[in-house]
């Protein structure tokens, strides 16, 4: 057995060496500016372009390549950054991209270089991670090819499909967090795009098999995906290879990815609709003009008809997607052992004292610190292991190096949420309710928190699926596990961008002492902070003398006084508005009824 393991180790080392020798450097220059686009044909608007172009370029690399991207912010009126979604950034935490987490935002007129090696494989994407900038078009696919994948010889051609929601206004111009919207109702998109356009034909060859990479690069709405009269085989989720599993419908939340193998029919007499259907359960209002289902086509014959999809359900929730919990990772990584640390989280949507709606993990709404959290780690010495220095409102947890971490998430909100963890994928240990007819059953009832007695660890899958973005059911729960083997500051957050802006995020500070040994602040890091007049050292309040002194830290607003409700806020707002209008009406009416006095002509009496 020892000889076998020795030979296996040597073979693995040889393969890694060969792969390293074949690796290349992909060098890209991005000049980020505003351009105009009209992807749905309904409204031309300003979007974020790269090198004067939109849609943005798809980045394609091979496993093991080094990627260097020089980004210049030419937006003139907006800070920016790039997050490489799904990249572990092991040893390069400062390349992860979320502003005030692992870097300062890049101000207009400044540049940054992202430089990291990619030992992963599969389907990813890149997007802005500063405020709410990626829904303005700053997002696109990142594909990592792997000629050693187990399905590499099982397909003839490869293509990438993105789906997204789309707004006709700049995100910053859409009113959202305000007293007039106390329930936090998310703005409804104006349309839904397929490869950043509509009515797309994808030419295919009869009898051939295609690897289709599917990515939801939207900001809000999950979408169902299916191809009429075709089935497919799932082979990858979020960069993790899984055993082939036949399916006919997928539910793809924002930030999630699937790779599927689709074998084409032998006949070329018909074209077949590719159907995407927006999850209407996420929308508070559905305007008559909003087209929830989109038809694009597998085009076998350009001269044949391109029929519209035939909807066989009354509502999107009647579609039954394949449950990602049932997938088995191809590497057969077993269920991690009992956790060393369990983090229990309640998701809450509530109001603060400005009357607006916010989002909370355990009553904390994420509020960005005055110093990027990574920089606090790197400049705090022995205090780095003390969670207090990172500020209460970054909601920090210190994770011990190589500890098994379990996150138990109870969603106390009536909507579903796709949660993403930076720097890792994680095991999908449990979810209640599961995908299927009962997924939305608790949306309007009482929440269903996780119960370890009813769902013991013995019921967990032997080989749990892994991914980096997982959907929590409405008022349901999930449990995930991962190993804290990647020193860094990693954000855990809802990937609905509206909820991120409301504060639905928290910080995992993983192995801070090991992180200090891996890296230090660079001159480039410091210069970007200085260009934006931001601090680059000290605690969350930018205090450097006493790191436990959080005086001046950014805080969430105070809570509403006890007894106020969203309905009460709405009533109060409209009562005030009505009172104001009433007083104005009375004033105008009163003034309009007053006749001007006639001027009296006084003449002196002549008594003579």
């Amino acid at each position: 057995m020892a000889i076998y393991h020795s030979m296996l180790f040597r073979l693995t080392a040889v393969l890694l060496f060969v792969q390293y020798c074949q690796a290349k450097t992909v060098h890209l220059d991005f000049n980020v500016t505003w351009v105009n686009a009209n992807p749905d044909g309904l409204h031309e608007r300003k979007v974020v372009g790269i090198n004067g172009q939109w849609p943005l370029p798809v980045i394609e690399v091979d496993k093991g390549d080094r990627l260097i991207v020089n980004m210049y912010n030419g937006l003139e009126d907006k800070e920016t950054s790039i997050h490489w979604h799904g990249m572990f950034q092991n040893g390069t935490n400062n390349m992860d991209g979320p502003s005030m987490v692992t870097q300062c935002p890049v101000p207009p007129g400044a540049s940054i270089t992202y430089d990291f090696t990619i030992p992963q494989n599969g389907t990813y994407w890149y997007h802005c991670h500063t405020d709410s900038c990626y829904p303005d078009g700053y997002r696109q696919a990142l594909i990592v090819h792997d000629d050693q994948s187990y399905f590499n010889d099982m397909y003839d051609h490869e293509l990438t499909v993105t789906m997204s929601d789309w707004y006709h206004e700049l995100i910053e111009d859409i009113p959202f967090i305000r007293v007039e919207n106390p329930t936090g109702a998310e703005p409804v998109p104006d349309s839904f795009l397929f490869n950043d356009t509509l009515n797309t034909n994808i030419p295919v060859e009869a009898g051939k098999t295609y690897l289709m990479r599917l990515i939801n690069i939207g900001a809000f709405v999950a979408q169902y995906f299916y191809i009429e009269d075709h089935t497919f085989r799932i082979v990858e989720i979020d960069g993790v290879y899984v055993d082939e599993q036949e399916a006919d419908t997928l539910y793809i939340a924002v930030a999630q990815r699937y790779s599927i193998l689709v074998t084409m029919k032998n006949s070329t007499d018909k074209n077949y609709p590719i159907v995407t259907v927006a999850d209407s359960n996420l929308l508070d209002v559905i305007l008559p003009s909003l087209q929830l289902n989109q038809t694009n086509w597998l085009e076998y014959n350009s001269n044949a008809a391109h029929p519209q999809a035939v909807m066989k359900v009354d509502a999107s929730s009647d579609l039954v997607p394949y449950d990602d919990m049932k997938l088995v990772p191809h590497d057969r990584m077993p269920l991690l052992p009992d956790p060393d640390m369990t983090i229990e989280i309640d998701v809450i949507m509530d109001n603060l004292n400005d009357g607006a709606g916010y989002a909370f993990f355990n009553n904390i709404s994420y509020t960005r610190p005055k110093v990027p959290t990574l920089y606090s780690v790197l400049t705090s010495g022995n205090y780095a292991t003390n969670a207090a220095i990172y500020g209460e409102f970054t909601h920090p947890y210190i994770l011990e190096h190589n500890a098994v971490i379990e996150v138990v998430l109870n969603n106390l909100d009536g909507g579903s949420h796709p949660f993403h963890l930076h720097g890792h994928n994680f095991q999908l240990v449990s979810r209640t309710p599961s995908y299927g007819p009962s997924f939305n059953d608790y949306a309007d009832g009482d929440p269903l928190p996780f119960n370890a007695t009813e769902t013991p660890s013995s019921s967990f899958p032997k080989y749990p699926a892994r991914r980096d973005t997982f959907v929590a059911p409405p008022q349901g729960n999930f449990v995930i596990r991962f190993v804290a083997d990647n020193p860094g500051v990693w954000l855990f957050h809802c990937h609905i961008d509206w909820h991120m802006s409301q504060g639905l995020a928290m910080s995992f500070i993983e192995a801070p002492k090991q992180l200090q040994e891996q890296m230090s602040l660079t001159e480039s890091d410091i210069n970007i902070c200085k260009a934006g007049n931001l601090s680059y050292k000290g605690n969350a309040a930018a205090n450097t003398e006493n790191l436990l002194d959080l005086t001046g830290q950014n805080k969430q607003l105070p809570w509403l006084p006890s007894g106020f409700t969203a309905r009460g806020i709405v009533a109060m707002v409209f009562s005030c508005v009505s009172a104001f209008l009433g007083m104005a009406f009375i004033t105008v009416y009163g003034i309009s009824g007053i006749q001007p006095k006639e001027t009296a002509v006084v003449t002196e009496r002549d008594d003579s």
Side-chain angles (χ1 to χ4, degrees):
M1 183 64 72
I3 295 175
Y4 169 78
H5 283 297
S6 176
M7 292 178 62
L8 182 62
F9 175 79
R10 291 176 184 177
L11 178 60
T12 302
V14 169
L15 290 174
L16 289 173
F17 178 75
V18 170
Q19 187 177 62
Y20 175 79
C21 292
Q22 294 175 338
K24 62 185 182 298
T25 297
V26 177
H27 202 131
L28 302 172
D29 293 316
F30 282 1
N31 180 17
V32 179
T33 61
W34 293 113
V35 299
N36 289 328
N38 186 4
D40 61 4
L42 300 174
H43 181 79
E44 183 173 299
R45 55 155 292 184
K46 190 165 69 169
V47 301
V48 179
I50 289 177
N51 301 333
Q53 299 294 319
W54 194 90
L56 305 186
V58 174
I59 298 177
E60 298 194 53
V61 298
D62 294 318
K63 183 177 180 179
D65 284 353
R66 179 183 178 187
L67 178 62
I68 301 176
V69 178
N70 298 314
M71 187 201 76
Y72 171 76
N73 182 4
L75 292 174
E76 298 181 350
D77 58 353
K78 201 175 191 68
E79 298 174 329
T80 190
S81 65
I82 304 178
H83 170 53
W84 313 94
H85 187 110
M87 295 287 101
F88 296 155
Q89 300 293 1
N90 199 316
T92 51
N93 185 211
N94 55 331
M95 297 291 121
D96 193 43
S99 289
M100 301 313 293
V101 180
T102 61
Q103 67 169 80
C104 285
V106 181
S111 299
I112 189 172
T113 296
Y114 294 98
D115 182 351
F116 55 95
T117 299
I118 303 176
Q120 297 165 244
N121 42 248
T123 308
Y124 305 91
W125 60 304
Y126 67 95
H127 61 84
C128 177
H129 212 308
T130 299
D131 299 325
S132 295
C133 59
Y134 93 75
D136 288 325
Y138 199 170
R139 72 288 183 280
Q140 188 52 282
L142 167 59
I143 306 302
V144 184
H145 298 287
D146 175 20
D147 60 9
Q148 301 299 313
S149 72
Y150 82 89
F151 50 84
N152 189 61
D153 297 328
M154 297 166 61
Y155 62 92
D156 303 289
H157 304 288
E158 179 179 330
L159 54 91
T160 298
V161 169
T162 63
M163 56 197 75
S164 63
D165 39 40
W166 188 249
Y167 294 87
H168 287 165
E169 297 178 70
L170 285 170
I171 296 302
E172 65 185 26
D173 293 337
I174 300 175
F176 177 50
I177 301 178
R178 54 182 183 145
V179 67
E180 296 86 356
N181 183 29
T183 62
E186 302 85 357
V188 176
D190 293 294
S191 58
F192 297 95
L193 305 180
F194 185 95
N195 280 348
D196 281 328
T197 188
L198 298 177
N199 303 316
T200 301
N201 299 321
I202 298 179
V204 295
E205 297 180 55
K208 300 293 185 179
T209 297
Y210 287 73
L211 176 69
M212 296 182 68
R213 301 180 183 272
L214 311 174
I215 315 172
N216 188 334
I217 59 174
F220 174 24
V221 182
Q223 299 196 42
Y224 294 86
F225 172 94
Y226 64 92
I227 304 172
E228 282 193 4
D229 204 20
H230 289 67
T231 59
F232 45 79
R233 292 165 287 159
I234 305 168
V235 293
E236 178 225 335
I237 54 170
D238 294 1
V240 178
Y241 295 155
V242 296
D243 288 351
E244 284 183 79
Q245 182 61 55
E246 188 171 22
D248 57 22
T249 305
L250 296 175
Y251 182 86
I252 310 178
V254 292
Q256 289 188 323
R257 294 91 66 205
Y258 283 85
S259 285
I260 59 175
L261 295 176
V262 188
T263 299
M264 303 303 152
K265 297 181 179 298
N266 292 319
S267 172
T268 60
D269 59 339
K270 290 178 63 178
N271 299 313
Y272 293 87
I274 304 171
V275 187
T276 53
V277 184
D279 182 1
S280 57
N281 284 306
L282 293 170
L283 305 176
D284 287 279
V285 177
I286 301 176
L287 301 176
S289 60
L290 182 61
Q291 184 73 27
L292 292 175
N293 58 291
Q294 301 294 332
T295 300
N296 299 275
W297 293 272
L298 287 182
E299 188 179 69
Y300 286 79
N301 183 344
S302 60
N303 295 317
H306 292 73
Q308 287 296 312
V310 178
M311 298 304 297
K312 298 179 180 180
V313 296
D314 294 326
S316 62
S317 56
D318 294 332
L319 294 166
V320 180
Y322 188 85
D323 187 355
D324 53 354
M325 286 280 299
K326 296 180 180 179
L327 294 168
V328 177
H330 192 68
D331 62 9
R332 289 297 193 281
M333 178 179 170
L335 174 69
L336 291 169
D338 289 343
D340 300 300
M341 179 182 188
T342 297
I343 300 171
E344 296 186 11
I345 304 169
D346 287 346
V347 176
I348 302 166
M349 315 297 277
D350 208 339
N351 304 93
L352 295 176
N353 76 347
D354 62 351
Y358 292 86
F360 306 84
F361 282 142
N362 296 346
N363 291 327
I364 296 176
S365 182
Y366 181 90
T367 307
R368 80 180 207 174
K370 291 184 175 179
V371 175
T373 304
L374 172 61
Y375 296 1
S376 290
V377 174
L378 299 180
T379 61
S380 61
N382 292 330
Y383 283 95
T385 57
N386 189 331
I389 72 167
Y390 305 111
E392 178 183 356
F393 300 102
T394 65
H395 205 165
Y397 280 82
I398 306 294
L399 309 185
E400 295 291 334
H401 194 212
N402 291 323
V404 175
I405 309 299
E406 181 174 86
V407 177
V408 177
L409 185 141
N410 297 310
N411 181 15
L412 307 186
D413 177 52
S416 62
H417 297 268
F419 288 101
H420 170 53
L421 175 59
H422 290 223
H424 292 272
N425 54 43
F426 43 75
Q427 293 187 333
L428 316 184
V429 172
S430 173
R431 176 170 56 198
T432 306
S434 59
Y435 277 171
S438 63
F439 186 71
N440 293 292
D441 280 3
Y442 295 89
D444 298 319
D446 294 327
L448 184 69
F450 178 72
N451 187 317
T453 302
E454 296 179 358
T455 311
S457 59
S458 59
S459 68
F460 295 164
K462 183 177 181 180
Y463 303 111
R466 301 193 308 276
R467 64 186 320 164
D468 60 50
T469 306
F470 193 37
V471 178
Q475 299 205 118
N477 64 77
F478 71 53
V479 181
I480 60 174
R481 285 182 185 175
F482 65 95
V483 177
D485 56 1
N486 189 9
V489 177
W490 308 114
L491 208 58
F492 179 69
H493 65 95
C494 178
H495 218 290
I496 292 176
D497 209 50
W498 300 111
H499 298 169
M500 181 69 182
S501 69
Q502 289 177 293
L504 200 51
M506 63 195 305
S507 308
F508 291 161
I509 293 92
E510 185 172 328
K513 298 303 291 184
Q514 287 78 7
L515 181 57
Q516 288 177 340
E517 295 170 0
Q518 281 185 354
M519 67 178 62
S520 57
L521 275 178
T522 68
E523 185 177 353
S524 175
D525 297 331
I526 294 170
N527 288 340
I528 291 170
C529 293
K530 287 182 176 179
N533 295 316
L534 294 169
S535 299
Y536 59 88
K537 59 183 177 180
N539 63 16
N543 293 328
T544 58
E545 297 297 324
N546 180 359
L547 293 176
L548 296 178
D549 179 8
L550 274 298
T551 302
Q553 69 171 319
N554 294 329
K555 300 180 179 181
Q556 71 183 43
L557 293 171
W559 290 93
L560 272 174
S562 178
F564 275 82
T565 64
R567 182 176 295 178
I569 296 168
V570 172
M572 181 180 68
V573 169
F574 280 96
S575 295
C576 292
V577 171
S578 298
F580 175 80
L581 293 175
M583 291 297 295
F585 177 78
I586 291 170
T587 301
V588 172
Y589 179 79
I591 292 174
S592 65
I594 298 175
Q595 299 297 322
K597 293 182 179 180
E598 293 184 2
T599 303
V601 178
V602 179
T603 58
E604 292 185 2
R605 187 174 60 181
D606 186 0
D607 292 330
S608 59

